[in-house]
Amino acid sequence: MYIALIILCPLAAALAALLPSNRRRPWLLPPVAIAHLGLVLAILAGYGGGARGGWLEIDPPGRVVLLLVSVLFLLCSFYLAGYLCSRADHANRVFCSCFLLFLGAMTLVICTDNLGLMWVAMEATTLSSAPLIYFNRTPQSIEATWKYLLICSVGIALALLGSFFVAYSAVSRGMTPSLKIIDLLRQAPRLNKVWLQAGFVLLLVGYGTKMGLAPMHSWLPDAHGESPAPVSAMFSGALISSAFLMVVRSEHILYAAGDGAYASRLLIFLGLLSMLFAAIFMIGQKDLKRMLAYSSVEHMGILALGLGIGGIALLGAMLHVINNGLTKGSLFLSVGNIDRAYGGKTIPQVHGAMRRLPLSGTVFMLGFLAITGSPPFGPFISEFMILNGAFAAGHFLIGAAFLFLLLVIFLGMGRTVLAAVLGRAPVAAARNNYRDGLLSGLPALGALLMVLLLGLYLPPPLRDLLHQASRYLGAKP
Amino acid sequence: MMMTLNAIFVLVILINLFVLGAGRMKALIHAAALQGILLGLLPPLVLREAQFVPLFMALMTVVLKGVVIPNMLLKALRDAHVKREVEPIIGFMPCILLGAAATGAALVLAGRITPSASPLGLLVIPTSISMLFTGFLLLTTRVKALTQTIGFLLLENGIFVFGLLLLGAIPSLVELGVLLDLFVGIFVISIIMHHINREFASLDTRRLSSLKG
C-alpha cells in the first residue's frame, strides 16, 4: 500500500506529460486524487502491510496531515479540471505534471521515517511547485517564483544542516549516528545537548521558512498572491501543514531528550511574533489573496503556539491543522472565482461579490467567519482548545496576547472582506460573463461544509487519530 | 592521508576567499566548479577503501558539481550577456575581510567543537563554517541572480563538508537524493533566470521588487 501510494503520483505525472491533448489532460487529476485518497484511507484503516525496510512509515501526527493533504487535493483536482479546461489556450503539460509531482513529494515527506529522506522530499516540493506559481506568466509571478525558489531553498538547506547536527550529536557521545527518527528518539536522552539544540534551531528556522513563520515568511504572501487559486489552496492548506509536521517531528526529538522547555520557549515566541506580523499586514490590506496569505502566517503562528504550550493545546493544534487547511482551501478557491469574475483581486475593484457571485461570495464570507474563529465552525473549537491549554498551563499573559491578536485580526480582516462582498457590483464586472459553475463552486462549498461539520461533530475515527497523535507526542489527553 | 585531506580543506577555504573578491562571472563559476571537484574527492579519501557505492557517489558529485552544473550556469551567463557583478552592497574588499575573519574565528574555535578523536582532523568544521558564511555573504550582498545562485551552491557545499563527519550514517539513497535535488534545483533556477532575463532584460534582482505589503 505504501509503495503504491508513493509510486502513484510520479506515474501519473509521467502519464500527464505523455498525454497529447491539452483539453483532456486536466481530467487525469480527479481519478488520481480519488486513488490517492483511497490508498490513504486504506493505510489509515490499518491495511498498510508489514515491515518496509524502515524507509516508509507514518507516525501518528503524519496520519493527520496525510488525510488533510489527500482530501484537499481531491477538492482542488476537480476545481483544476474546470479551471484548466476554461483556459485551454494555456499549455498545461508542465503544470499538470508538476502538480502531481508536488503531491507525490508531499506524500513522501509525510510517509517516511528518515530525516534525510524527508529533507530530500521537502526540497522536491519546492522544486516541483515553483513552475506552478509561474502559470500565469506575468512579471509579478516571475518575481514571486524567484523569491519562493531562493528563500525556500536556502531555508531548507539550513534544515539539512540541522538534520546533520542532530545526527552528529550522537557521534560526539560515541554512539552510532542515524537519521531515522525511531533511532533518534531512542538515543535522545544520551545525545549531546549542545549539538542537539543547535540542530533544533536550524531545523526550526529551515522548516519554519517553508511553513511561513515570521520573520522568515517573506516568500509566502508573494507566492500565495500570484499563483492560480488551486495552487494557493494547496500551498496554504497542504504544503505549509507538512512543513509544520516537520517542526512537530523536530520538537518531538528535543522533547524526548528532556529539552522540551527550550523548544517551547522558541515556538511560543515565534508563534506570537507570526501572529503579530500577520495582524500588522492584514490591517488595511487591499489585496484579497495577500490578505489570505497573511492569514496563513497567522495560523501557522497559532499552530506553533499550540505545539509550544503542549497538553490540550497540542491536541487543539493537531485539530487546527485540519480546520485551517480546509478553511483556507475553501477561501482560496472562492477568491479564485471572485478574481475570475472581476478580473482582479484588490478592493476598489472587487465590490458586491455576494450579488455578483451568490455562491462564491457567500462561501467567501462564511469562510472568513470560520477562519477568524467564529462558532459554529471548526476553527472555533481548535482555537478554544489552544487558549484553554494556555490558561491550564498557567501562561496567562500568552493567552491574553493570543486573544488580543485574534481580535485585531478579526477586525482588520473583516473590514476588507465586508468591503469586497457587500454592496452593488461595479458595471464593468457585471458585463463579464463569468458565472459560478459546478466545478468551480462545489469544491469551495464542500470544504466549507466539512469545516462546519467539524465544528458541530467530530467523527470518532478522526478523534482517535488526533488523540493518538497527541499521545505519541507526549501530551496528556 | 591526513596531509592530503588538510591540503584540500585549505584549498577549498582559499577558493572561498577568491569567490568573495571576484567580480567576473566566469571566474566565479570556474571557482565554484573547482571547489565542487575537490569536494567530490573527499569521501573516498576519508573512507580509504575502494567500495563501489562510495566511489560511484564521488564520481556523481564530481560530474554534477564540477561539470554539469557549471555548464548550466555558463549557458545562463551567455544567454544573459552578463560579464561582471556590479559593485555589491558591501564592497569586494570588505567582503573578503569579513570572510577571512569568519574563517579565522572558526579555526580558533575548531579545537573546542571537534572531538579530538575525529579521523578527519580539525579542519572539517571550520571549512564547513567558512563555506556556509561565504554562501550567505554572496546571497545577501550581491544583486545578480546568477551570483546568488552560486552563493546557494557554496552553502550546499558547506553542508556537504559537514556531512563528511557522518559518512556511513547517511544512507546512499539520501546522498543521491540531495545531489539530485541540487541538480534539479539549479536546473529550475536557470529556467526561471531565463524568464527573468526575458521579462526584465537583466538579471538584476533589485528590479524584482513590485510585490510589497
Short mmCIF file of all heavy atoms in Angstrom, two decimals, chain A residues 176-178, chain B residues 46-47 54 163-172 175:
data_model
loop_
_atom_site.label_atom_id
_atom_site.label_comp_id
_atom_site.label_asym_id
_atom_site.label_seq_id
_atom_site.Cartn_x
_atom_site.Cartn_y
_atom_site.Cartn_z
N THR A 176 26.39 5.34 17.48
CA THR A 176 26.31 5.29 16.02
C THR A 176 25.30 6.32 15.55
O THR A 176 24.16 6.30 16.01
CB THR A 176 25.83 3.91 15.54
OG1 THR A 176 26.21 2.96 16.51
CG2 THR A 176 26.36 3.59 14.18
N PRO A 177 25.70 7.24 14.67
CA PRO A 177 24.74 8.25 14.22
C PRO A 177 23.67 7.64 13.31
O PRO A 177 23.92 6.64 12.63
CB PRO A 177 25.61 9.23 13.44
CG PRO A 177 26.77 8.43 12.98
CD PRO A 177 27.00 7.38 14.01
N SER A 178 22.50 8.23 13.34
CA SER A 178 21.41 7.75 12.50
C SER A 178 20.49 8.91 12.18
O SER A 178 20.36 9.85 12.97
CB SER A 178 20.63 6.66 13.23
OG SER A 178 19.43 6.42 12.55
N VAL B 46 38.45 9.84 2.72
CA VAL B 46 38.13 9.61 4.12
C VAL B 46 37.91 8.12 4.37
O VAL B 46 38.37 7.55 5.36
CB VAL B 46 36.87 10.40 4.52
CG1 VAL B 46 36.47 10.07 5.94
CG2 VAL B 46 37.14 11.89 4.40
N LEU B 47 37.21 7.47 3.44
CA LEU B 47 36.87 6.05 3.65
C LEU B 47 38.08 5.14 3.45
O LEU B 47 38.17 4.08 4.04
CB LEU B 47 35.76 5.64 2.67
CG LEU B 47 34.37 6.13 3.06
CD1 LEU B 47 33.38 5.78 1.98
CD2 LEU B 47 33.94 5.51 4.37
N PRO B 54 30.43 4.15 -2.58
CA PRO B 54 31.04 5.47 -2.32
C PRO B 54 31.78 6.01 -3.53
O PRO B 54 31.71 7.22 -3.81
CB PRO B 54 32.02 5.18 -1.18
CG PRO B 54 31.55 3.93 -0.55
CD PRO B 54 30.90 3.13 -1.62
N GLY B 163 28.65 17.04 6.29
CA GLY B 163 28.16 15.67 6.15
C GLY B 163 29.27 14.63 6.18
O GLY B 163 29.03 13.47 6.48
N LEU B 164 30.53 15.04 5.89
CA LEU B 164 31.65 14.10 5.94
C LEU B 164 31.79 13.49 7.32
O LEU B 164 32.23 12.35 7.48
CB LEU B 164 32.96 14.80 5.57
CG LEU B 164 33.12 15.23 4.12
CD1 LEU B 164 34.38 16.02 3.96
CD2 LEU B 164 33.14 14.01 3.22
N LEU B 165 31.42 14.26 8.35
CA LEU B 165 31.51 13.76 9.72
C LEU B 165 30.57 12.59 9.95
O LEU B 165 30.73 11.82 10.88
CB LEU B 165 31.16 14.87 10.71
CG LEU B 165 32.19 15.98 10.87
CD1 LEU B 165 31.59 17.13 11.63
CD2 LEU B 165 33.40 15.44 11.59
N LEU B 166 29.54 12.50 9.11
CA LEU B 166 28.52 11.46 9.29
C LEU B 166 28.63 10.38 8.23
O LEU B 166 27.71 9.60 8.03
CB LEU B 166 27.12 12.08 9.22
CG LEU B 166 26.80 13.10 10.27
CD1 LEU B 166 25.51 13.82 9.92
CD2 LEU B 166 26.65 12.43 11.62
N LEU B 167 29.76 10.37 7.55
CA LEU B 167 29.94 9.43 6.44
C LEU B 167 29.62 8.01 6.91
O LEU B 167 30.14 7.56 7.93
CB LEU B 167 31.37 9.51 5.93
CG LEU B 167 31.51 9.31 4.43
CD1 LEU B 167 30.76 10.38 3.70
CD2 LEU B 167 32.97 9.34 4.06
N GLY B 168 28.81 7.30 6.16
CA GLY B 168 28.43 5.95 6.57
C GLY B 168 27.08 5.94 7.26
O GLY B 168 26.34 4.97 7.14
N ALA B 169 26.76 7.03 8.00
CA ALA B 169 25.46 7.06 8.68
C ALA B 169 24.38 7.56 7.73
O ALA B 169 23.21 7.27 7.91
CB ALA B 169 25.52 7.96 9.90
N ILE B 170 24.78 8.36 6.75
CA ILE B 170 23.79 8.87 5.80
C ILE B 170 23.61 7.82 4.71
O ILE B 170 24.57 7.48 4.02
CB ILE B 170 24.26 10.18 5.16
CG1 ILE B 170 24.58 11.19 6.26
CG2 ILE B 170 23.21 10.73 4.23
CD1 ILE B 170 25.18 12.46 5.73
N PRO B 171 22.41 7.29 4.54
CA PRO B 171 22.20 6.26 3.51
C PRO B 171 22.48 6.82 2.11
O PRO B 171 22.26 8.01 1.86
CB PRO B 171 20.72 5.91 3.65
CG PRO B 171 20.29 6.46 4.95
CD PRO B 171 21.19 7.61 5.26
N SER B 172 22.99 5.97 1.22
CA SER B 172 23.31 6.43 -0.13
C SER B 172 22.09 7.01 -0.82
O SER B 172 22.21 7.94 -1.62
CB SER B 172 23.85 5.28 -0.96
OG SER B 172 24.84 4.61 -0.26
N GLU B 175 21.96 10.56 0.13
CA GLU B 175 23.02 11.31 -0.54
C GLU B 175 22.67 11.57 -1.99
O GLU B 175 22.82 12.67 -2.51
CB GLU B 175 24.33 10.52 -0.47
CG GLU B 175 25.14 10.77 0.77
CD GLU B 175 26.46 10.03 0.69
OE1 GLU B 175 27.29 10.43 -0.13
OE2 GLU B 175 26.62 9.04 1.41
#
